[in-house]
Amino acid sequence: MPNVFAFAESRGGELRKAALEAVTAARKAADAQGGGEVHALLVGAPGIGAKAEALGRHGADVVVVVEHAALADYNPEAVAATAAERIRAGGYAAAVFSASAQGRDLAPRVAAKLGVPLASDLTSFEIANGELRGAHFLNIGKVVATVTVKAAPAVLTLRPGAVQPAESAKAGKVEAAQPAVDPAASRVKVTQTIQGAKGRPDLGEAPVIVSGGRGLKAPENFKLVEELADAFGNAAVGATRAVTDEGWRPHSDQIGQTGRTVSPQLYVAVGISGAIQHLAGMRTSRTIVAINKDKEAPIFKIADYGVVGDVFEIVPALTAAIRDAKKH
């Protein structure tokens, strides 16, 4: 029963949702093979070990904690060397990373150090007969390819939101370890961290995303999107590339082929026509609601629910209805 490795991503001393997703996915893969162990690697500043319990609750049998003052911010050289060393020594069937911004930087470094291929941005995967088989979107989401990796270990990144974190009855054992190289001697230094909009969840972690497009006509009308997101209470705000190119919203809000890829439980598209580049970034959302006055808009082809009408009438009414429903 081969074991599975999972990298537990953190930021600012807190676990990212991606960490719980990676551990949950690793747990499912291990159980499907007959019950192998899941070993999670948690790296950060002194004190990050306090977050190990949550990883255990989500299926990690062993949580390896590496603490160092120079690991307060993401340190690609030290973290990649440490992860590669642990994976090489552990003889794992697979190593699971998130296809987050950090994971897309880290996983290729680790795969290169191990001399194995990388299966990136998978939406699901399984390990059978010594092979990894995963689903990966191609052609801007129009085609789902099956990726097969025969190398051991199979290194993969999992699309954020593709797996919902699930707690397990297992209780993880915590082990302390040292970084493979001195983080303080790293050639890469983080000089500044710029936080996104405060008070809202990150696009990659939000269960609900409300996005706006050119149908809002002017930047000041984005308040309709923000008010709807506020009504949900757990929603992030996104935008199309056309909107960010116009300067209506920061580029960090952009969802699409050249922006963020998201898979929330609910995606509400407000005044978005549905250009294929935008669909590539959100079509894996669990439920898609589209509001657009053009009944022929491409967004309706992938929407689970479509509302044809004026966003300036429908969105305020929807916001009021959600607020009213939450009172009862």
Side-chain angles (χ1 to χ4, degrees), residues 71-124:
L71 293 173
D73 294 308
Y74 172 55
N75 186 315
E77 294 181 327
V79 176
T82 302
E85 181 181 82
R86 299 298 304 190
I87 295 169
R88 187 182 294 111
Y92 300 102
V96 184
F97 296 82
S98 174
S100 61
Q102 184 180 125
R104 290 196 300 270
D105 178 86
L106 177 61
R109 294 173 183 266
V110 173
K113 288 180 179 295
L114 296 173
V116 298
L118 169 67
S120 62
D121 197 28
L122 301 185
T123 55
S124 64

Short mmCIF file of all heavy atoms in Angstrom, two decimals, residues 71-124:
data_model
loop_
_atom_site.label_atom_id
_atom_site.label_comp_id
_atom_site.label_asym_id
_atom_site.label_seq_id
_atom_site.Cartn_x
_atom_site.Cartn_y
_atom_site.Cartn_z
N LEU A 71 11.39 31.26 6.86
CA LEU A 71 10.31 30.65 6.08
C LEU A 71 8.97 31.33 6.35
O LEU A 71 7.92 30.81 6.01
CB LEU A 71 10.21 29.15 6.40
CG LEU A 71 11.39 28.30 5.94
CD1 LEU A 71 11.25 26.87 6.46
CD2 LEU A 71 11.51 28.31 4.43
N ALA A 72 9.01 32.51 6.96
CA ALA A 72 7.77 33.25 7.22
C ALA A 72 7.07 33.58 5.90
O ALA A 72 5.84 33.55 5.80
CB ALA A 72 8.07 34.52 8.01
N ASP A 73 7.87 33.92 4.88
CA ASP A 73 7.35 34.12 3.53
C ASP A 73 7.78 32.94 2.67
O ASP A 73 8.74 32.24 3.00
CB ASP A 73 7.89 35.43 2.93
CG ASP A 73 7.38 36.65 3.66
OD1 ASP A 73 6.15 36.77 3.84
OD2 ASP A 73 8.21 37.49 4.07
N TYR A 74 7.06 32.73 1.59
CA TYR A 74 7.38 31.62 0.69
C TYR A 74 8.82 31.74 0.20
O TYR A 74 9.21 32.77 -0.35
CB TYR A 74 6.41 31.62 -0.48
CG TYR A 74 6.76 30.62 -1.57
CD1 TYR A 74 6.94 29.28 -1.26
CD2 TYR A 74 6.91 31.04 -2.88
CE1 TYR A 74 7.27 28.36 -2.26
CE2 TYR A 74 7.22 30.13 -3.89
CZ TYR A 74 7.39 28.79 -3.56
OH TYR A 74 7.72 27.90 -4.56
N ASN A 75 9.59 30.69 0.41
CA ASN A 75 10.99 30.64 0.02
C ASN A 75 11.15 29.50 -0.99
O ASN A 75 11.30 28.34 -0.61
CB ASN A 75 11.86 30.39 1.26
CG ASN A 75 13.34 30.47 0.98
OD1 ASN A 75 13.82 29.93 -0.01
ND2 ASN A 75 14.08 31.12 1.88
N PRO A 76 11.08 29.80 -2.28
CA PRO A 76 11.04 28.73 -3.29
C PRO A 76 12.21 27.77 -3.26
O PRO A 76 12.04 26.56 -3.43
CB PRO A 76 10.96 29.49 -4.62
CG PRO A 76 11.45 30.87 -4.31
CD PRO A 76 11.06 31.14 -2.91
N GLU A 77 13.42 28.28 -3.06
CA GLU A 77 14.59 27.41 -3.08
C GLU A 77 14.60 26.45 -1.89
O GLU A 77 14.80 25.24 -2.04
CB GLU A 77 15.87 28.25 -3.11
CG GLU A 77 16.03 29.04 -4.40
CD GLU A 77 17.31 29.86 -4.44
OE1 GLU A 77 17.76 30.32 -3.37
OE2 GLU A 77 17.86 30.01 -5.53
N ALA A 78 14.39 26.98 -0.70
CA ALA A 78 14.43 26.14 0.50
C ALA A 78 13.26 25.17 0.55
O ALA A 78 13.42 24.00 0.92
CB ALA A 78 14.44 27.03 1.75
N VAL A 79 12.07 25.64 0.19
CA VAL A 79 10.89 24.78 0.25
C VAL A 79 10.97 23.68 -0.80
O VAL A 79 10.65 22.51 -0.53
CB VAL A 79 9.60 25.61 0.07
CG1 VAL A 79 8.38 24.69 0.04
CG2 VAL A 79 9.45 26.60 1.21
N ALA A 80 11.41 24.01 -2.01
CA ALA A 80 11.53 23.00 -3.06
C ALA A 80 12.55 21.93 -2.67
O ALA A 80 12.32 20.73 -2.86
CB ALA A 80 11.93 23.65 -4.37
N ALA A 81 13.68 22.35 -2.12
CA ALA A 81 14.71 21.39 -1.71
C ALA A 81 14.20 20.49 -0.58
O ALA A 81 14.43 19.27 -0.58
CB ALA A 81 15.97 22.12 -1.26
N THR A 82 13.47 21.07 0.36
CA THR A 82 12.95 20.31 1.48
C THR A 82 11.88 19.32 1.03
O THR A 82 11.88 18.15 1.44
CB THR A 82 12.37 21.26 2.55
OG1 THR A 82 13.40 22.17 2.97
CG2 THR A 82 11.84 20.49 3.74
N ALA A 83 10.97 19.79 0.18
CA ALA A 83 9.92 18.90 -0.32
C ALA A 83 10.50 17.76 -1.14
O ALA A 83 10.12 16.60 -0.98
CB ALA A 83 8.92 19.69 -1.15
N ALA A 84 11.45 18.07 -2.01
CA ALA A 84 12.06 17.04 -2.86
C ALA A 84 12.78 16.00 -2.00
O ALA A 84 12.70 14.79 -2.27
CB ALA A 84 13.02 17.67 -3.84
N GLU A 85 13.46 16.45 -0.97
CA GLU A 85 14.18 15.52 -0.08
C GLU A 85 13.21 14.58 0.62
O GLU A 85 13.44 13.37 0.70
CB GLU A 85 14.99 16.31 0.94
CG GLU A 85 15.79 15.43 1.89
CD GLU A 85 16.56 16.25 2.91
OE1 GLU A 85 15.95 16.66 3.92
OE2 GLU A 85 17.76 16.50 2.69
N ARG A 86 12.10 15.12 1.11
CA ARG A 86 11.12 14.29 1.82
C ARG A 86 10.46 13.30 0.87
O ARG A 86 10.26 12.14 1.20
CB ARG A 86 10.04 15.18 2.45
CG ARG A 86 10.52 16.18 3.48
CD ARG A 86 11.15 15.55 4.69
NE ARG A 86 10.31 14.59 5.36
CZ ARG A 86 10.59 14.06 6.56
NH1 ARG A 86 11.71 14.43 7.20
NH2 ARG A 86 9.80 13.17 7.12
N ILE A 87 10.13 13.75 -0.33
CA ILE A 87 9.47 12.87 -1.30
C ILE A 87 10.41 11.76 -1.74
O ILE A 87 10.02 10.59 -1.84
CB ILE A 87 8.99 13.69 -2.52
CG1 ILE A 87 7.90 14.69 -2.09
CG2 ILE A 87 8.44 12.77 -3.61
CD1 ILE A 87 7.55 15.71 -3.15
N ARG A 88 11.67 12.11 -2.00
CA ARG A 88 12.66 11.12 -2.44
C ARG A 88 12.87 10.05 -1.36
O ARG A 88 12.94 8.85 -1.66
CB ARG A 88 13.98 11.82 -2.76
CG ARG A 88 15.01 10.89 -3.39
CD ARG A 88 16.32 11.62 -3.65
NE ARG A 88 16.19 12.67 -4.67
CZ ARG A 88 16.27 13.96 -4.43
NH1 ARG A 88 16.46 14.40 -3.19
NH2 ARG A 88 16.15 14.83 -5.42
N ALA A 89 12.94 10.48 -0.11
CA ALA A 89 13.18 9.53 0.98
C ALA A 89 11.95 8.70 1.31
O ALA A 89 12.07 7.57 1.81
CB ALA A 89 13.65 10.29 2.23
N GLY A 90 10.76 9.23 1.01
CA GLY A 90 9.53 8.55 1.42
C GLY A 90 9.04 7.48 0.46
O GLY A 90 8.20 6.66 0.84
N GLY A 91 9.54 7.46 -0.77
CA GLY A 91 9.09 6.45 -1.72
C GLY A 91 7.61 6.50 -2.00
O GLY A 91 6.94 5.46 -2.08
N TYR A 92 7.07 7.71 -2.17
CA TYR A 92 5.62 7.87 -2.34
C TYR A 92 5.15 7.50 -3.75
O TYR A 92 5.90 7.63 -4.72
CB TYR A 92 5.23 9.32 -2.05
CG TYR A 92 5.57 9.77 -0.66
CD1 TYR A 92 6.69 10.58 -0.42
CD2 TYR A 92 4.81 9.37 0.43
CE1 TYR A 92 7.03 10.97 0.86
CE2 TYR A 92 5.14 9.77 1.71
CZ TYR A 92 6.25 10.57 1.93
OH TYR A 92 6.58 10.95 3.20
N ALA A 93 3.89 7.08 -3.81
CA ALA A 93 3.28 6.80 -5.12
C ALA A 93 3.01 8.10 -5.85
O ALA A 93 3.14 8.17 -7.08
CB ALA A 93 1.97 6.02 -4.94
N ALA A 94 2.64 9.13 -5.10
CA ALA A 94 2.31 10.43 -5.72
C ALA A 94 2.58 11.55 -4.74
O ALA A 94 2.59 11.34 -3.52
CB ALA A 94 0.85 10.46 -6.16
N ALA A 95 2.82 12.73 -5.28
CA ALA A 95 3.01 13.94 -4.48
C ALA A 95 2.03 14.98 -4.98
O ALA A 95 2.05 15.34 -6.15
CB ALA A 95 4.45 14.45 -4.61
N VAL A 96 1.16 15.45 -4.08
CA VAL A 96 0.06 16.34 -4.45
C VAL A 96 0.36 17.77 -4.01
O VAL A 96 0.62 18.03 -2.84
CB VAL A 96 -1.27 15.87 -3.81
CG1 VAL A 96 -2.42 16.76 -4.28
CG2 VAL A 96 -1.55 14.41 -4.14
N PHE A 97 0.33 18.68 -4.98
CA PHE A 97 0.46 20.11 -4.72
C PHE A 97 -0.80 20.79 -5.26
O PHE A 97 -1.56 20.20 -6.04
CB PHE A 97 1.69 20.68 -5.44
CG PHE A 97 3.00 20.14 -4.96
CD1 PHE A 97 3.47 18.92 -5.42
CD2 PHE A 97 3.77 20.85 -4.05
CE1 PHE A 97 4.68 18.41 -4.98
CE2 PHE A 97 4.99 20.34 -3.61
CZ PHE A 97 5.44 19.13 -4.08
N SER A 98 -1.01 22.03 -4.86
CA SER A 98 -2.13 22.80 -5.41
C SER A 98 -1.67 23.54 -6.67
O SER A 98 -0.50 23.93 -6.77
CB SER A 98 -2.64 23.82 -4.39
OG SER A 98 -3.62 24.66 -4.97
N ALA A 99 -2.58 23.72 -7.61
CA ALA A 99 -2.28 24.53 -8.79
C ALA A 99 -2.56 26.00 -8.51
O ALA A 99 -3.04 26.74 -9.35
CB ALA A 99 -3.11 24.06 -9.99
N SER A 100 -2.23 26.42 -7.29
CA SER A 100 -2.33 27.82 -6.89
C SER A 100 -1.11 28.56 -7.43
O SER A 100 -0.23 27.97 -8.06
CB SER A 100 -2.36 27.92 -5.36
OG SER A 100 -1.16 27.37 -4.83
N ALA A 101 -1.03 29.86 -7.17
CA ALA A 101 0.13 30.61 -7.62
C ALA A 101 1.41 30.03 -7.02
O ALA A 101 2.42 29.86 -7.70
CB ALA A 101 -0.02 32.09 -7.24
N GLN A 102 1.36 29.71 -5.74
CA GLN A 102 2.54 29.14 -5.08
C GLN A 102 2.83 27.74 -5.60
O GLN A 102 3.97 27.38 -5.88
CB GLN A 102 2.34 29.10 -3.57
CG GLN A 102 3.55 28.62 -2.81
CD GLN A 102 3.32 28.59 -1.30
OE1 GLN A 102 3.51 27.56 -0.66
NE2 GLN A 102 2.91 29.71 -0.74
N GLY A 103 1.78 26.93 -5.74
CA GLY A 103 1.96 25.57 -6.20
C GLY A 103 2.49 25.48 -7.62
O GLY A 103 3.29 24.59 -7.95
N ARG A 104 2.07 26.42 -8.48
CA ARG A 104 2.55 26.41 -9.86
C ARG A 104 4.03 26.78 -9.93
O ARG A 104 4.71 26.44 -10.90
CB ARG A 104 1.73 27.38 -10.72
CG ARG A 104 0.30 26.91 -10.97
CD ARG A 104 -0.33 27.68 -12.12
NE ARG A 104 -0.39 29.10 -11.88
CZ ARG A 104 -1.39 29.74 -11.29
NH1 ARG A 104 -2.45 29.05 -10.87
NH2 ARG A 104 -1.38 31.05 -11.12
N ASP A 105 4.53 27.47 -8.92
CA ASP A 105 5.96 27.77 -8.85
C ASP A 105 6.73 26.62 -8.21
O ASP A 105 7.82 26.25 -8.67
CB ASP A 105 6.18 29.05 -8.04
CG ASP A 105 7.66 29.40 -7.88
OD1 ASP A 105 8.20 30.06 -8.79
OD2 ASP A 105 8.26 28.99 -6.88
N LEU A 106 6.15 26.03 -7.18
CA LEU A 106 6.85 25.03 -6.39
C LEU A 106 6.91 23.66 -7.06
O LEU A 106 7.97 23.02 -7.11
CB LEU A 106 6.20 24.92 -5.01
CG LEU A 106 6.76 23.86 -4.07
CD1 LEU A 106 8.23 24.14 -3.77
CD2 LEU A 106 5.94 23.81 -2.78
N ALA A 107 5.78 23.16 -7.54
CA ALA A 107 5.72 21.80 -8.07
C ALA A 107 6.71 21.54 -9.21
O ALA A 107 7.37 20.50 -9.22
CB ALA A 107 4.29 21.46 -8.49
N PRO A 108 6.85 22.46 -10.19
CA PRO A 108 7.84 22.20 -11.25
C PRO A 108 9.27 22.13 -10.71
O PRO A 108 10.08 21.35 -11.21
CB PRO A 108 7.67 23.40 -12.19
CG PRO A 108 6.29 23.90 -11.93
CD PRO A 108 6.07 23.67 -10.47
N ARG A 109 9.58 22.93 -9.70
CA ARG A 109 10.91 22.89 -9.10
C ARG A 109 11.15 21.51 -8.47
O ARG A 109 12.23 20.91 -8.62
CB ARG A 109 11.04 23.97 -8.02
CG ARG A 109 11.00 25.41 -8.54
CD ARG A 109 10.97 26.38 -7.37
NE ARG A 109 10.84 27.77 -7.79
CZ ARG A 109 11.87 28.60 -7.99
NH1 ARG A 109 13.10 28.17 -7.78
NH2 ARG A 109 11.66 29.85 -8.36
N VAL A 110 10.13 21.03 -7.76
CA VAL A 110 10.27 19.73 -7.09
C VAL A 110 10.39 18.61 -8.12
O VAL A 110 11.23 17.71 -7.99
CB VAL A 110 9.06 19.49 -6.16
CG1 VAL A 110 9.10 18.08 -5.58
CG2 VAL A 110 9.05 20.52 -5.03
N ALA A 111 9.54 18.64 -9.15
CA ALA A 111 9.59 17.61 -10.18
C ALA A 111 10.96 17.58 -10.86
O ALA A 111 11.52 16.51 -11.14
CB ALA A 111 8.49 17.83 -11.20
N ALA A 112 11.52 18.77 -11.11
CA ALA A 112 12.84 18.85 -11.75
C ALA A 112 13.91 18.25 -10.85
O ALA A 112 14.81 17.54 -11.32
CB ALA A 112 13.17 20.30 -12.09
N LYS A 113 13.84 18.52 -9.57
CA LYS A 113 14.83 17.97 -8.64
C LYS A 113 14.73 16.44 -8.56
O LYS A 113 15.74 15.75 -8.36
CB LYS A 113 14.65 18.58 -7.24
CG LYS A 113 15.09 20.05 -7.15
CD LYS A 113 14.89 20.60 -5.76
CE LYS A 113 15.34 22.05 -5.66
NZ LYS A 113 16.80 22.19 -5.86
N LEU A 114 13.52 15.92 -8.71
CA LEU A 114 13.30 14.49 -8.64
C LEU A 114 13.54 13.81 -9.99
O LEU A 114 13.61 12.57 -10.06
CB LEU A 114 11.88 14.18 -8.16
CG LEU A 114 11.53 14.64 -6.74
CD1 LEU A 114 10.05 14.42 -6.46
CD2 LEU A 114 12.37 13.88 -5.72
N GLY A 115 13.60 14.61 -11.06
CA GLY A 115 13.80 14.05 -12.38
C GLY A 115 12.58 13.30 -12.90
O GLY A 115 12.71 12.31 -13.63
N VAL A 116 11.38 13.78 -12.56
CA VAL A 116 10.14 13.14 -13.00
C VAL A 116 9.26 14.17 -13.69
O VAL A 116 9.42 15.38 -13.49
CB VAL A 116 9.38 12.51 -11.82
CG1 VAL A 116 10.21 11.41 -11.16
CG2 VAL A 116 8.99 13.58 -10.79
N PRO A 117 8.30 13.72 -14.52
CA PRO A 117 7.38 14.67 -15.17
C PRO A 117 6.37 15.23 -14.18
O PRO A 117 6.20 14.71 -13.07
CB PRO A 117 6.69 13.81 -16.23
CG PRO A 117 6.76 12.43 -15.70
CD PRO A 117 8.07 12.34 -14.97
N LEU A 118 5.69 16.29 -14.61
CA LEU A 118 4.68 16.95 -13.79
C LEU A 118 3.34 16.92 -14.51
O LEU A 118 3.25 17.33 -15.66
CB LEU A 118 5.09 18.40 -13.50
CG LEU A 118 4.04 19.31 -12.88
CD1 LEU A 118 3.70 18.84 -11.46
CD2 LEU A 118 4.51 20.76 -12.86
N ALA A 119 2.33 16.45 -13.83
CA ALA A 119 0.96 16.52 -14.35
C ALA A 119 0.30 17.73 -13.70
O ALA A 119 0.06 17.73 -12.49
CB ALA A 119 0.18 15.25 -14.02
N SER A 120 0.04 18.77 -14.48
CA SER A 120 -0.39 20.04 -13.90
C SER A 120 -1.88 20.30 -14.07
O SER A 120 -2.52 19.84 -15.03
CB SER A 120 0.39 21.19 -14.53
OG SER A 120 0.14 21.26 -15.91
N ASP A 121 -2.43 21.04 -13.11
CA ASP A 121 -3.80 21.53 -13.16
C ASP A 121 -4.82 20.42 -13.40
O ASP A 121 -5.70 20.54 -14.25
CB ASP A 121 -3.93 22.62 -14.24
CG ASP A 121 -5.19 23.46 -14.08
OD1 ASP A 121 -5.67 23.60 -12.95
OD2 ASP A 121 -5.69 23.98 -15.11
N LEU A 122 -4.72 19.34 -12.64
CA LEU A 122 -5.69 18.25 -12.77
C LEU A 122 -6.96 18.60 -12.01
O LEU A 122 -6.93 19.28 -10.98
CB LEU A 122 -5.11 16.95 -12.20
CG LEU A 122 -3.81 16.43 -12.84
CD1 LEU A 122 -3.45 15.08 -12.24
CD2 LEU A 122 -3.94 16.33 -14.35
N THR A 123 -8.08 18.14 -12.51
CA THR A 123 -9.35 18.34 -11.80
C THR A 123 -9.76 17.10 -11.02
O THR A 123 -10.63 17.16 -10.15
CB THR A 123 -10.47 18.71 -12.79
OG1 THR A 123 -10.55 17.71 -13.82
CG2 THR A 123 -10.19 20.06 -13.44
N SER A 124 -9.13 15.97 -11.33
CA SER A 124 -9.33 14.73 -10.58
C SER A 124 -8.19 13.79 -10.94
O SER A 124 -7.53 13.97 -11.96
CB SER A 124 -10.68 14.08 -10.91
OG SER A 124 -10.74 13.68 -12.27
#
